[in-house]
């Protein structure tokens, strides 16, 4: 099963990596969360867990344990993808200006803010 899962994971990572190319200048402002990488990685993790349970139920404990380890690594990848998308969609606010109370600091030149 690992010989099937490894190429599938590589193709999934390649497809998700190439998917983001060229999107840097599409929109201005705060982008929405992109749920596609999270859902694809979550589906892959779920498939690995189903295979692990099948191995454990069919009296193959070592193969099931390896599948559980692969699922744990895939779950870490899902959480990392979610965290990156959350940070991209919710940027940190600008610090407040010390000269003007409660007003975010901005450049005095309006051309710089574009």
């Amino acid at each position: 099963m690992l010989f099937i899962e490894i190429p599938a994971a590589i193709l999934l990572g390649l497809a998700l990596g190439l998917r983001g190319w060229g999107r840097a200048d599409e929109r201005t402002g705060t982008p929405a969360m992109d749920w596609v990488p999270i859902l694809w990685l979550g589906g892959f993790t779920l498939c690995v867990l189903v295979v692990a349970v099948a191995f454990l139920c069919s009296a193959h404990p070592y193969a099931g344990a390896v599948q559980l380890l692969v699922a744990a690594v895939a779950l870490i990848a899902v959480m990392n993808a979610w965290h990156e998308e959350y940070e991209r969609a919710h940027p940190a606010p600008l610090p407040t200006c010390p000269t003007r109370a409660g007003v975010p600091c901005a450049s005095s030149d309006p051309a710089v803010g574009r």
Side-chain angles (χ1 to χ4, degrees):
M1 285 310 289
L2 280 177
F3 293 123
I4 295 172
E5 289 170 357
I6 290 172
I10 290 171
L11 286 175
L12 178 64
L14 183 66
L16 290 176
L18 291 177
R19 186 175 174 274
W21 277 12
R23 293 190 309 165
D25 296 332
E26 282 183 7
R27 293 183 295 231
T28 58
T30 305
M33 272 187 75
D34 185 11
W35 287 96
V36 172
I38 299 163
L39 293 175
W40 275 102
L41 288 170
F44 177 76
T45 304
L46 187 64
C47 290
V48 172
L49 280 174
V50 167
V51 170
V53 169
F55 275 139
L56 290 172
C57 290
S58 66
H60 293 90
Y62 295 116
V66 169
Q67 292 296 315
L68 287 175
L69 289 174
V70 171
V73 170
L75 184 61
I76 290 171
V78 170
M79 291 187 302
N80 187 32
W82 175 83
H83 185 264
E84 288 176 3
E85 288 298 324
Y86 184 84
E87 289 293 319
R88 187 181 63 83
H90 300 92
L94 292 173
T96 58
C97 274
T99 57
R100 296 176 286 183
V103 178
C105 283
S107 175
S108 61
D109 184 15
V112 175
R114 284 188 214 162

